[in-house]
Amino acid sequence: MRLSRFFLPTLKEAPSDAQIVSHQLMLRAGMIKQEAAGIYAWLPLGLRVLRNIEQVVREEMNAIGGQEILLPALLPREPYETTNRWTEYGDSLFRLKDRKGADMMLGPTHEEIFALTVKGEYNSYKDLPVILYQIQTKYRDEARPRAGLLRGREFIMKDSYSFDHTKQGLEESYAKHRGAYVKIFDRLGFEYVVVHADSGAMGGSASEEFLAVAPAGEDTFVRSTGGDYAANVEAVTTPASEALDYAATPEAVVHDTPDATTIDALVEWANAADLGRTVTGADTLKCVMVKVTEPGKEPELVGIGVPGD
């Protein structure tokens, strides 16, 4: 098609409510157009890119034996009532009623429907494993849609599910999916990191996330500089260190430091007081007092020692 006929409504300046670079550039390049808060139309250029990404995903999913299906976006209440997620999702669900008064929802995720689709269809364990996946629109009523496509109320998800006979089979299917995701993100040229994650409402015994490294986004992760540990901040575990033996430690000495109102001032005072060694901010603690209130309990004051550096 000639570029002169191509529907490409570019913008000279990004809208004022577009805060992050990816959102600004996609709007200015004419790839997407906002129709409502958290709801975007894919325009010809953006749709071409989207379809190319979907094709990469399909090729790698098919390579591990995945079979693509497409489930409905409009779903009944009952399956999600059974798993208690009709309640757990709270205000994030788009709930509605049909003309007969039956409760319905726009699907935020499809675990229950995948399970019901497979249930009763296999007569022997020899028919397993099976991997089914879809690329489909999901709906979540975000309280604060922001960052363009990164936090929308309507978004496209590739979700995949394996059905296995044994725990070993489950682990093998997990490894296949993990390998497929590595190939997908490598082919797309992302700078990414694989982190431990919180399963949340999805449940499960283990969870990992592939996060694209970017200054703005939906998640924050931590990464060890001396090892391979990486985790979403929601899933970070900090093991307690071993107890130290303070038997040979000199007795505590109280010093009066009325003018040392900051850590820097305290360090300056300590070094001027000739305590026998050089003191840095890392040798100090600043005490932060907070009041913790739990429902039905009296407020409690808690002191938190924060490293001075």
Side-chain angles (χ1 to χ4, degrees), residues 133-171:
Y133 75 94
Q134 67 172 347
I135 300 176
Q136 195 238 36
T137 303
K138 311 288 188 185
Y139 302 86
R140 296 179 188 174
D141 193 4
E142 298 287 352
R144 292 177 297 278
R146 61 187 184 276
L149 299 179
L150 292 184
R151 175 64 92 173
R153 295 192 292 171
E154 176 182 286
F155 58 96
I156 296 173
M157 177 193 291
K158 191 288 297 179
D159 47 338
S160 177
Y161 304 87
S162 72
F163 297 87
D164 303 273
H165 178 58
T166 64
K167 182 178 180 181
Q168 180 182 351
L170 171 64
E171 293 172 350

Side-chain angles (χ1 to χ4, degrees), residues 8-112:
L8 194 65
T10 58
L11 299 175
K12 186 174 182 180
E13 300 291 340
S16 59
D17 60 343
Q19 300 297 318
I20 69 170
V21 175
S22 60
H23 188 196
Q24 295 171 353
L25 294 180
M26 292 187 77
L27 289 170
R28 291 184 60 192
M31 299 178 72
I32 59 175
K33 181 180 179 182
Q34 183 169 336
E35 304 295 349
I39 301 175
Y40 291 85
W42 288 89
L43 303 184
L45 179 60
L47 188 60
R48 287 191 179 193
V49 175
L50 177 63
R51 293 293 183 248
N52 286 339
I53 294 172
E54 289 179 355
Q55 186 58 30
V56 171
V57 173
R58 285 190 174 95
E59 289 173 3
E60 297 301 337
M61 288 305 303
N62 293 343
I64 65 170
Q67 301 175 66
E68 184 175 6
I69 65 175
L70 184 61
L71 297 174
L74 182 63
L75 303 172
R77 172 177 177 168
E78 287 74 16
Y80 293 83
E81 188 76 58
T82 301
T83 60
N84 203 37
R85 295 210 294 178
W86 177 267
T87 303
E88 285 184 1
Y89 267 110
D91 294 336
S92 295
L93 281 185
F94 279 104
R95 295 177 170 88
L96 62 150
K97 293 181 181 291
D98 64 15
R99 66 177 63 197
K100 297 180 180 179
D103 286 321
M104 307 290 288
M105 60 187 280
L106 295 178
T109 185
H110 279 73
E111 283 84 356
E112 287 86 347

Side-chain angles (χ1 to χ4, degrees), residues 76 78-80 110-121 163:
E78 287 74 16
Y80 293 83
H110 279 73
E111 283 84 356
E112 287 86 347
I113 309 304
F114 267 92
L116 290 175
T117 300
V118 173
K119 181 181 179 182
E121 298 301 326
F163 297 87

